[in-house]
Amino acid sequence: MDEIRRLDVGDTWLHAVLRGSEDLPPLIVLHGGPGLDHTEFADYLDPLTDTVRLVLLDGRAQGRSDRDVPPATWTLPQMAADVSAAARALGARRYAVFGHSFGAFVALQHAVEQPGEAAATVVCCGLGSARWLDGLPGRLAAFEPPELREQVQASWASEADVETEADFARLMHEQMPWHFADPRDPRIPEYEARVEAAAPRYAPDVLRQFSVAGYGGIEVEDRLDRVTGRLLALAGRHDRTCPPEAGELIAARVQRGEGQIFERSGHMPFVEEPEAFLRVVRDFLRRALA
């Protein structure tokens, strides 16, 4: 059964959903977006509760976390600091961090700026430099099938103007084919239904701010040698947003880095190859937290 916590991180409160035994080390889980919330994962990560206690965190000013926090604090360094503060609020002496997509940016920023605080970090479909996003317009222009291309392009362009949670939800639905290796993957409707059943709370103001500012402008590739904890970089071979080469570079430059590419996945390997994904992540966490 879920345990709901409000975590004091200093200047605001973060909403967290805890799943699994309190006797297991916590895995702080960071969602994508920006502007999404913990429901992005629905119940897809729940099998990991045989190894860790999931701490599904809503990021600063997102989800069910307090929204009354200055936009000037909506930065990758501050969100990375929030991870450490959340761990302290949990009383966690030893913990791991998992981030997907934008959450992977936060997880990597945390590993670089707070080296050694997390025993292990999983960077899933992330990157270490905004330069990897430079090719995004070209990849959007080449997206197949053509009948979905205009829909996806229009959705990306609309992020800078999104006003309501309903509009945000519509953009996510329109973009979803882009995030799968097969844009017509029959699992897309099932995934969307499982997320919807978890009652997501979107933050359009956060998405607007980040969409016009390079999604946080992550730039840590030149500091990856500072990471002292174990790190696993995961990527989908057909990821159109965060190319797998970005993940390979992270794994290569981190002293205790490992990498895994899921050959049949795009940006959503925990949905596209769930069994392989869970096996790889579970094995890494068991070794890193032993």
Side-chain angles (χ1 to χ4, degrees), residues 1 17 46 51 78 80-81 91 124 132 163 166 177 194 209 223 255 279 283:
M1 186 173 181
V17 176
D46 286 9
T51 301
Q78 180 58 62
C124 179
W132 294 100
E163 292 288 344
R194 287 165 74 169
Q209 175 164 309
R223 293 185 286 157
Q255 183 178 3
R279 182 173 63 252
D283 174 70

Side-chain angles (χ1 to χ4, degrees), residues 39-52:
T39 64
E40 175 202 5
F41 301 105
D43 56 357
Y44 285 87
L45 302 185
D46 286 9
L48 294 176
T49 55
D50 64 358
T51 301
V52 291

Side-chain angles (χ1 to χ4, degrees), residues 194-226:
R194 287 165 74 169
V195 171
E196 185 62 26
R201 287 291 314 279
Y202 299 121
D205 47 351
V206 175
L207 178 59
R208 282 199 313 274
Q209 175 164 309
F210 276 90
S211 67
V212 297
Y215 297 97
I218 187 166
E219 292 298 340
V220 298
E221 283 187 346
D222 61 345
R223 293 185 286 157
L224 290 174
D225 59 349
R226 294 187 57 189

Side-chain angles (χ1 to χ4, degrees), residues 84-267:
S84 293
R88 290 192 296 272
L90 289 165
R93 296 182 178 179
R94 183 173 175 79
Y95 67 96
V97 178
F98 173 101
H100 173 248
S101 191
F102 179 77
F105 299 2
V106 178
L108 188 59
Q109 190 92 25
H110 178 264
V112 169
E113 295 191 344
Q114 280 77 238
E117 287 201 12
T121 300
V122 181
V123 174
C124 179
C125 300
L127 39 80
S129 170
R131 69 184 177 87
W132 294 100
L133 299 176
D134 292 345
L136 192 54
R139 294 193 290 272
L140 282 165
F143 180 55
E144 300 286 347
E147 58 268 24
L148 290 176
R149 184 183 306 144
E150 183 176 347
Q151 166 185 308
V152 172
Q153 287 178 312
S155 178
W156 276 88
S158 296
E159 289 185 353
D161 303 309
V162 63
E163 292 288 344
T164 68
E165 290 195 45
D167 288 340
F168 197 132
R170 175 179 52 80
L171 295 184
M172 292 301 98
H173 172 70
E174 292 171 350
Q175 287 180 18
M176 200 54 65
W178 166 267
H179 294 306
F180 281 70
D182 176 4
R184 299 191 183 285
D185 193 315
R187 290 167 294 191
I188 293 176
E190 177 191 354
Y191 169 69
E192 292 182 310
R194 287 165 74 169
V195 171
E196 185 62 26
R201 287 291 314 279
Y202 299 121
D205 47 351
V206 175
L207 178 59
R208 282 199 313 274
Q209 175 164 309
F210 276 90
S211 67
V212 297
Y215 297 97
I218 187 166
E219 292 298 340
V220 298
E221 283 187 346
D222 61 345
R223 293 185 286 157
L224 290 174
D225 59 349
R226 294 187 57 189
V227 179
T228 58
R230 300 184 69 156
L231 183 144
L232 174 64
L234 305 175
R237 177 64 70 192
H238 308 284
D239 193 333
R240 303 175 182 89
T241 304
C242 297
E245 293 81 6
E248 289 179 315
L249 185 147
I250 292 168
R253 290 192 180 178
V254 171
Q255 183 178 3
R256 303 175 72 191
E258 304 175 31
Q260 176 73 45
I261 295 179
F262 296 97
E263 298 294 340
R264 300 189 302 278
S265 291
H267 196 61

